[in-house]
Amino acid sequence: MPTVSMTVNGKSVSGEVEARTLLVQFLRENLNLTGTHVGCDTSQCGACVVHVNGDSMKSCTMLAVQANGADVTTIEGLAKGGEMHPMQQAFQDNHGLQCGFCTPGMVMSAIDLVAKNPNPDEATIRSELEGNICRCTGYHNIVKAVQQAAKTMGG
Amino acid sequence: MYNFNFHAASSLDDAVAKLGAAEDGTVMAGGQTLIPVLKQRLANPTDVVDLSGIAELSGISASGNGVTIGAMTTHAAVANSSDVPAALRAVAEGIGDPQVRNRGTLGGSIANNDPAADYPAALLGLGATITTNQREIAADDFFTGLFETALTDGEIIKSVTFPNATKAAYAKFPSPASRYAMVGVFVAQAADGVRVAVTGATDCAHRGPKLEAALSANWSPDALDGITIPPDHLNSDIHGSAEYRANLVIVMAKRAVAAAG
Ligand SMILES: Cc1cc2nc3c(=O)[nH]c(=O)nc-3n(C[C@H](O)[C@H](O)[C@H](O)COP(=O)(O)OP(=O)(O)OC[C@H]3O[C@@H](n4cnc5c(N)ncnc54)[C@H](O)[C@@H]3O)c2cc1C
Ligand code: FES
Ligand code: FES
């Protein structure tokens, strides 16, 4: 079986996987990082979004072996010293989640969005979150959360 | 997904050798189409050869005559490159969602030749040339049918060269769910004359001779008034009937001409 090594949330990890193991399976099942969710398994919903070398990607549509040597950040890697990341805080402040299933992927996509568009307007936020589906909130408070975080993240 | 042997190729020669040694090998680019296909067990290769480690396959270089884009260049990289003409950037920017654009590649998109894919229209509309490890192929000869291309077994796309055009634009009516083109039309005033390419409407992207003739005579949206597209061989599915798509071809062509100015 292939061995993969990567950095996940700042720690070096490695493991034996089958070639067909998805990155999300490796994160959830080998590393017990179950914050990254699987909603659709068909690259539609964005619940599985993580950062790979700084860019947001759907970890259900990537093999673990494709992330060999990569720097991966999951939702578990955001809080620093017990303090939530500004994007997580903004989701809490603005009631940007209800059931929370979509939230890890939504937050990871939103952080990439703000990194690439430091002052996003509402239309940009909505179009850049196209790959993330939420069945609860109606998106309105998610957009407000991203707007708040863009300010606190120093945009 | 059935299991397979995975190989990370270090160079183009290495990829060709690994494919050659495999019983039934396939190359993987961004995996945004191939992984879903493997999950559905629509393909069952013995070996998958990953092209992502081959540096010479990614990158964008502009010359006086046009721009050459490596096969492994992601949609996001094309959308954000100042070396790429605006019409082509807009094509890349309109593909799927940001996460798909961060992984999906130009080479993967055209090798797959989905009937609703965006890049095939841009290649045909600009009269691009595809360079493989074996030869150069004109876009007009490349897209041969439903998920079919002129590529032979083991042939790997290296890059695509897009010649400059005087004017060019792409207009797409995206499926609200997938963002694939219900219909997309690319129009250009290219070196060899007016080119119009249509995707989403039929088996695969194709040129529109009637539209080209009308726009050669008069480069304006009004020039397309009165042209009708027969719906006979057009795609019809839950997203739209053949008649609806036939109408969309004209509407998108007009929007593209208006956008090109
Ligand atoms: C949710 C979602 C939405 C999408 N929306 C759109 C859209 O709106 N418009 C659109 O056009 N596309 C869309 N796509 C498809 C996307 O553009 C893919 O990136 C593309 O179809 C395949 O590119 P890839 O790099 O991921 O290729 P892969 O999936 O890795 O490969 C696809 C095929 O091409 C072959 N191949 C790859 N590279 C080469 C090469 N260099 N030489 C020879 N053969 C090669 C592979 O063997 C495989 O058969 C969408 C995909 C998803 C998942
Ligand atoms: S689980 Fe990956 S996109 Fe839905
Ligand atoms: S909060 Fe329930 S799916 Fe988004």
Side-chain angles (χ1 to χ4, degrees):
Chain A
M1 278 209 294
T3 305
V4 291
S5 307
M6 62 188 89
T7 305
V8 178
N9 300 331
K11 282 194 218 106
S12 298
V13 298
S14 61
E16 283 207 337
V17 294
E18 286 187 320
R20 63 178 165 180
T21 305
L22 300 170
L23 176 59
V24 70
Q25 279 175 293
F26 180 70
L27 295 171
R28 290 178 56 88
E29 292 166 24
N30 292 51
L31 305 180
N32 290 322
L33 293 172
T34 53
T36 303
H37 292 166
V38 178
C40 65
D41 196 29
T42 55
S43 28
Q44 310 290 323
C45 76
C48 64
V49 171
V50 300
H51 294 180
V52 179
N53 296 330
D55 290 319
S56 55
M57 294 181 183
K58 290 174 177 171
S59 62
C60 76
T61 310
M62 188 167 173
L63 303 172
V65 286
Q66 288 179 295
N68 197 21
D71 189 354
V72 178
T73 306
T74 71
I75 190 79
E76 289 92 342
L78 294 182
K80 293 278 176 284
E83 273 210 18
M84 283 199 278
H85 184 281
M87 188 64 74
Q88 292 172 303
Q89 188 62 52
F91 269 68
Q92 186 183 60
D93 293 349
N94 291 281
H95 199 56
L97 62 150
Q98 287 178 30
C99 79
F101 194 85
C102 70
T103 313
M106 206 55 97
V107 166
M108 299 312 285
S109 291
I111 291 172
D112 192 23
L113 179 177
V114 173
K116 287 169 187 160
N117 308 272
N119 281 306
D121 58 17
E122 183 183 337
T124 305
I125 295 171
R126 289 185 186 274
S127 76
E128 290 298 299
L129 289 178
E130 205 139 74
N132 293 79
I133 293 174
C134 174
R135 300 201 62 175
C136 302
T137 63
Y139 301 98
H140 198 62
N141 288 347
I142 292 176
V143 174
K144 284 203 279 185
V146 178
Q147 281 168 325
Q148 173 186 316
K151 290 198 191 93
T152 50
M153 282 166 71
Chain B
M1 196 183 324
Y2 296 112
N3 206 11
F4 45 80
N5 303 308
F6 180 85
H7 313 272
S10 56
S11 67
L12 200 55
D13 288 344
D14 186 35
V16 172
K18 282 177 168 143
L19 268 183
E23 187 185 325
D24 176 16
T26 188
V27 296
M28 180 176 284
Q32 299 303 287
T33 295
L34 186 55
I35 292 174
V37 163
L38 293 171
K39 282 183 183 177
Q40 291 174 73
R41 296 185 171 179
L42 295 171
N44 183 17
T46 57
D47 295 77
V48 171
V49 179
D50 179 14
L51 304 179
S52 64
I54 307 176
E56 66 167 302
L57 293 186
S58 5
I60 299 169
S61 63
S63 73
N65 306 325
V67 60
T68 297
I69 304 180
M72 287 297 291
T73 311
T74 62
H75 308 327
V78 173
N80 292 315
S81 168
S82 54
D83 287 331
V84 175
L88 196 49
R89 283 209 309 270
V91 170
E93 178 67 33
I95 295 176
D97 56 52
Q99 289 72 38
V100 169
R101 295 196 288 274
N102 281 338
R103 285 202 71 69
T105 68
L106 170 60
S109 174
I110 62 171
N112 190 52
N113 195 18
D114 189 290
D118 296 300
Y119 266 130
L123 268 71
L124 287 172
L126 288 168
T129 302
I130 296 108
T131 303
T132 73
N133 60 328
Q134 298 172 9
R135 56 186 170 142
E136 292 192 346
I137 310 170
D140 286 339
D141 302 324
F142 186 82
F143 303 104
T144 54
L146 186 68
F147 296 108
E148 294 287 338
T149 68
L151 292 173
T152 56
D153 259 2
E155 191 169 7
I156 297 175
I157 302 166
K158 286 169 68 176
S159 64
V160 180
T161 300
F162 298 89
N164 290 334
T166 316
K167 290 181 175 182
Y170 181 57
K172 160 183 180 179
F173 193 88
S175 150
S178 74
R179 302 283 140 196
Y180 271 100
M182 296 268 296
V183 167
V185 179
F186 197 101
V187 299
Q189 290 182 1
D192 63 351
V194 169
R195 297 177 73 99
V196 177
V198 180
T199 190
T202 54
D203 277 4
C204 86
H206 60 275
R207 303 262 305 265
K210 271 201 277 187
L211 305 178
E212 288 178 350
L215 291 171
S216 301
N218 173 17
W219 181 264
S220 118
D222 302 341
L224 304 174
D225 280 337
I227 299 185
T228 50
I229 305 288
D232 312 345
H233 301 290
L234 265 51
N235 298 335
S236 185
D237 55 28
I238 52 164
H239 305 300
S241 64
E243 290 75 13
Y244 184 72
R245 281 193 167 83
N247 186 55
L248 267 185
V249 172
I250 301 297
V251 175
M252 290 302 112
K254 286 184 171 188
R255 284 189 192 171
V257 175

